[in-house]
Amino acid sequence: MDENIRAMFHPRSIAIIGASNKLWKVGHAVIANVLFGDCLRRDRQLGYKGKIYPVNPNEDVIFNLPTYPSVLAIPEVVDLAVIAVPAKVVPGVVEECGKKGVKAAIIISAGFGETGEEGKRVEEEIVKTARSYGMRVLGPNCLGIYSLYEDLNTTFARAMPARGPISFISQSGAFCASVIQYSLEEHFGFSNFVSIGNKSDIDDADIIEYYATDEHTKCVAMYIEALKDARKFLKVAREVCKKIPIVALKSGRTEIGRNAAKSHTGSIAGNDIAYEAMFRQTGIYRARTMSELFDAARALAYQPPPSLEGGIAVVTNSGGPGVVATDAASDLGLPLAKLSDRTINELNRVCPPEWSHRNPVDILGDASPDRYADSIRVLLEAKEVSGLIVITAPQAMTDPETLAKRIVEAAKGTSKPVIASFVGMISSPAENYVESQGIPEMSFPEDAVFGMHALVHRARILRREEIWQE
């Protein structure tokens, strides 16, 4: 593990080069985010608590902090530099950071390898300079990073995601900003969040290698346009997947998509068949949409992998969503449990005679929270059931908030994975409650099935690597 990369996530001090009092400047948003966690706040509750040094030769004071004309003028040690200045002055700034003994630099500025051959040449010169001083470089052309358990936000995004068990990497800064907003609405959180940009020095393999050592990270989620060093990534990812699950969304699957990726970050997206083979070899779970990426990541981060014996059960108060879940499971090759006579008899005891008597378990539209809870307990105790999806469609008799509490109570203490789907009740208190208690809630039944499929994939990988005994 490179200690300079660790210092990037846990710096004792930060220089913000290009910090500004001007509201429309990127450097203004960056220093506001570092100070306050969220650039729209003005209290330090969410902000970084270490030493902060604004650098700008045209300013004396920024946010009441003394401002330095260059990083070399700072009288104390600087672990991390965040650089948000025009591209033409970045090489000189990097040289000064090296002389100062900075351990890592995040270059937010754009205008390098993504612009063409001259930009690539300058980018290579920057990396050469950094390496001559032993300094690591993230970017350029990136949004920055969040290290949530350090209250550190070095980005120019507008919000601070919640703390949680997912660590994320994205080659697209705009993708990051969208994901942050989505996570706030869906109530899941992150340990770390990295916009990796042009990968001039620090690349995906370096970041996931660090994530594998982070005590808060339970799952890694990645958005990839292209890997810079596929051989290095293959070696590192295979080892990381033995410790924590990785789920990846690889774009540029089509020729048109590959051309779009090249114009976006200058990346050569490569042969998709080769990426598919690499994901299989390493044990990475592949998502094909943004929604799938976070359905899988939330399931993998919050729930255990199921036993590979038996199958999945679906309990619902509505036949339609149950059928949708069944079709989705069939499409993915996810086996549904065949209910035993004993389980059917137990469900007969807690449900009206008209319940479906098969899996998916339709406990009828008038299902009360108590009927749900009783059915969940029966299914989680059934030997043939290895995981459970709980689907609720809003009915006149449905009390979502009480139901949410009953689901959490009924699932408490089980070693089997449970995923909920409150269909059509987006951002409801019920949804938020089950999420806060560690049960992922997906907006639609097929999303819940996809999350469960990711957990089954994880179980297969652990068995393949002979590091998991059921």
Side-chain angles (χ1 to χ4, degrees):
M1 181 63 234
D2 188 316
E3 289 303 317
N4 285 1
I5 292 178
R6 188 182 300 281
M8 182 173 75
F9 290 95
H10 304 278
R12 295 166 299 175
S13 56
I14 303 175
I16 300 158
I17 302 169
S20 176
N21 283 312
K22 296 175 181 172
L23 287 175
W24 61 89
K25 292 280 192 178
V26 169
H28 180 84
V30 172
I31 191 167
N33 276 333
V34 172
L35 276 166
F36 309 117
D38 179 332
C39 61
L40 300 181
R41 295 173 66 113
R42 286 298 178 265
D43 63 84
R44 295 297 309 279
Q45 188 177 349
L46 289 181
Y48 171 69
K49 307 303 187 297
K51 295 180 179 177
I52 302 168
Y53 303 108
V55 175
N56 187 329
N58 301 314
E59 305 272 9
D60 295 322
V61 176
I62 298 175
F63 285 116
N64 294 320
L65 294 173
T67 302
Y68 299 88
S70 80
V71 70
L72 292 172
I74 297 171
E76 305 287 340
V77 170
V78 174
D79 280 348
L80 174 64
V82 183
I83 301 173
V85 296
K88 63 183 180 183
V89 299
V90 169
V93 167
V94 170
E95 178 81 41
E96 290 181 346
C97 288
K99 290 178 180 175
K100 180 64 182 172
V102 170
K103 294 180 177 178
I106 299 171
I107 304 178
I108 290 175
S109 315
F112 296 93
E114 77 279 11
T115 63
E117 291 305 315
E118 176 58 18
K120 286 181 183 176
R121 186 194 66 74
V122 176
E123 192 173 293
E124 289 169 1
E125 283 297 314
I126 288 171
V127 173
K128 185 177 177 182
T129 299
R131 287 179 176 165
S132 71
Y133 292 103
M135 182 172 67
R136 300 303 304 266
V137 171
L138 181 75
N141 187 28
C142 70
L143 186 72
I145 72 164
Y146 293 88
S147 179
L148 276 302
Y149 287 88
E150 293 284 351
D151 294 323
L152 177 60
N153 175 3
T154 72
T155 75
F156 57 97
R158 274 196 161 185
M160 182 87 157
R163 288 179 177 179
I166 300 170
S167 282
F168 181 59
I169 310 171
S170 173
Q171 200 167 347
S172 165
F175 194 104
C176 289
S178 301
V179 168
I180 291 166
Q181 194 59 41
Y182 177 66
S183 73
L184 292 171
E185 292 180 3
E186 291 292 327
H187 296 272
F188 63 92
F190 296 90
S191 306
N192 304 284
F193 203 104
V194 171
S195 162
I196 203 164
N198 291 4
K199 310 183 195 182
S200 65
D201 176 31
I202 295 174
D203 63 11
D204 306 85
D206 295 317
I207 297 297
I208 65 170
E209 190 173 41
Y210 164 73
Y211 284 169
T213 70
D214 176 44
E215 62 176 319
H216 302 292
T217 299
K218 307 303 179 192
C219 175
V220 174
M222 306 181 68
Y223 168 71
I224 303 169
E225 291 183 358
L227 294 170
K228 195 162 187 176
D229 186 341
R231 190 181 298 273
K232 174 184 171 186
F233 182 82
L234 178 71
K235 181 180 178 182
V236 173
R238 177 118 197 212
E239 291 305 310
V240 171
C241 275
K242 293 176 183 176
K243 299 176 182 175
I244 51 175
I246 302 176
V247 54
L249 170 59
K250 165 70 178 68
S251 64
R253 290 185 288 110
T254 63
E255 184 176 351
I256 294 173
R258 286 190 284 274
N259 289 335
K262 188 174 181 180
S263 64
H264 177 214
T265 56
S267 300
I268 305 299
N271 187 313
D272 195 66
I273 295 173
Y275 275 96
E276 188 74 39
M278 181 174 64
F279 292 153
R280 287 180 183 167
Q281 190 174 346
T282 55
I284 292 174
Y285 187 75
R286 183 170 191 177
R288 296 185 182 277
T289 67
M290 291 175 66
S291 175
E292 288 183 359
L293 178 64
F294 287 100
D295 290 342
R298 290 158 65 200
L300 290 164
Y302 287 95
Q303 290 291 302
S307 166
L308 291 176
E309 311 306 324
I312 303 305
V314 177
V315 61
T316 177
N317 67 343
S318 178
V323 174
V324 170
T326 303
D327 279 343
S330 178
D331 288 343
L332 291 168
L334 186 67
L336 292 186
K338 185 178 187 306
L339 301 183
S340 67
D341 291 342
R342 182 178 184 279
T343 302
I344 289 175
N345 287 335
E346 287 296 305
L347 288 169
N348 283 338
R349 186 175 57 77
V350 299
C351 293
E354 295 81 9
W355 77 275
S356 65
H357 291 79
R358 65 173 66 89
N359 187 14
V361 179
D362 184 351
I363 59 174
L364 309 177
D366 66 346
S368 65
D370 286 342
R371 190 189 301 166
Y372 259 104
D374 291 339
S375 302
I376 290 169
R377 289 192 180 94
V378 168
L379 291 167
L380 289 177
E381 289 173 4
K383 290 183 179 178
E384 68 272 22
V385 174
S386 57
L388 179 64
I389 294 172
V390 182
I391 298 173
T392 304
Q395 310 283 5
M397 291 69 71
T398 306
D399 176 358
E401 294 179 43
T402 302
L403 173 59
K405 292 177 181 174
R406 293 289 185 276
I407 291 172
V408 171
E409 290 166 3
K412 190 172 183 180
T414 184
S415 60
K416 299 176 181 179
V418 176
I419 297 177
S421 177
F422 286 69
V423 184
M425 292 184 270
I426 297 172
S427 294
S428 68
E431 177 193 63
N432 299 344
Y433 179 75
V434 295
E435 289 274 5
S436 71
Q437 299 301 306
I439 296 178
E441 193 283 331
M442 314 291 183
S443 298
F444 298 105
E446 57 268 41
D447 299 333
V449 171
F450 194 83
M452 192 63 77
H453 184 257
L455 290 167
V456 171
H457 174 271
R458 179 64 181 162
R460 289 170 180 160
I461 294 301
L462 292 175
R463 177 180 279 185
R464 184 186 78 180
E465 299 295 339
E466 298 181 340
I467 54 178
W468 185 50
Q469 298 293 324
E470 295 178 31

